[in-house]
Amino acid sequence: MFDRINHTNYHQICDELALADPDLADVISAYGYPPLWSRPNTFETLVHIILEQQVSLASALSALNKMRERVQKITPARVLLLTDEEFKACYFSRQKTSYTKYLAEAIISGQMDLADLEQLPDDVIRAKLTALKGIGNWTADVYLMFVLQHANVFPIGDLAAVNALKRVKKLPKDATREEVLAVAERWAPYKTVASMLLWHYYLSASKGK
């Protein structure tokens, strides 16, 4: 059993899931293996994930790039030099400006150390992240999956993953959170990889329309 996913074990885990679940096997058969999406463990990455909350990925990336143009390298110290007007010019909402400043201050003060998170279990990482203003379970899930590559996370707050699961498993659109989680639990200990297969299906099926 693998606790984390990497380029060495990723396809093997996909194959194990496909053997156990014909619906996931169909996704691989139709669309191939999903990319192993990953992000570096940096302040910039966490700002990017905060920007992605409840907006399109394109909008979030546009704001991130605008900030990068302004400060060159997105670091806590450089971000804290920006005025609220400068944040606004980078397409940051008032809320996301506040969240980004709070995160920068937490890192500078030593309240949050991203490198330390790499050695901790999921529940401790989630507790530390969600203690920060503006970081909820969805952001913690994305961080655990994409940054730390933990193998057994299902992002119940992610609409694309949940809707893909309902379609792949032929669940009704009004299936409850509990029903969705019960299906996802069958993919343990590799819920992260199953989620990547669901996103792959969602993105690939959308292109085909």
Side-chain angles (χ1 to χ4, degrees), residues 60-162:
L61 186 57
S62 176
L64 189 79
N65 285 336
K66 199 77 179 164
M67 176 172 274
R68 201 184 281 126
E69 277 173 29
R70 191 166 285 262
V71 298
Q72 268 69 63
K73 188 174 182 190
I74 298 175
T75 66
R78 291 187 184 195
V79 159
L80 287 175
L81 293 174
L82 297 176
T83 64
D84 286 354
E85 282 306 308
E86 286 174 312
F87 269 99
K88 191 175 177 184
C90 297
Y91 316 133
F92 278 62
S93 67
R94 227 165 60 188
Q95 265 190 325
K96 289 182 181 178
T97 296
S98 163
Y99 299 161
T100 301
K101 285 180 173 180
Y102 189 92
L103 174 63
E105 285 163 358
I107 289 175
I108 284 174
S109 71
Q111 177 192 346
M112 170 61 66
D113 186 322
L114 297 181
D116 282 355
L117 298 183
E118 294 176 12
Q119 309 307 321
L120 300 173
D122 288 27
D123 55 341
V124 177
I125 295 166
R126 187 181 300 280
K128 282 180 174 287
L129 286 173
T130 55
L132 297 174
K133 181 175 157 192
I135 294 185
N137 278 315
W138 179 84
T139 304
D141 285 340
V142 171
Y143 182 83
L144 283 163
M145 298 168 82
F146 287 84
V147 179
L148 300 186
Q149 309 266 266
H150 284 209
N152 198 35
V153 180
F154 181 77
I156 187 62
D158 189 272
L159 281 177
V162 169

Side-chain angles (χ1 to χ4, degrees), residues 1-19 21 23-25 27-28 32-37 141 144-146 149-155 161 164-165 184 186-201:
M1 189 178 89
F2 303 107
D3 293 326
R4 301 192 184 209
I5 50 178
N6 56 50
H7 287 288
T8 305
N9 62 29
Y10 188 53
H11 286 182
Q12 182 185 336
I13 296 170
C14 287
D15 291 342
E16 284 184 34
L17 286 165
L19 276 174
D21 188 322
D23 295 317
L24 295 184
V27 172
I28 295 173
Y33 292 108
L36 174 49
W37 288 290
D141 285 340
L144 283 163
M145 298 168 82
F146 287 84
Q149 309 266 266
H150 284 209
N152 198 35
V153 180
F154 181 77
L165 181 150
R186 296 178 210 155
W187 296 323
Y190 298 129
K191 288 184 279 188
T192 297
V193 180
S195 302
M196 290 190 173
L197 280 160
L198 291 174
W199 277 319
H200 187 47
Y201 165 79

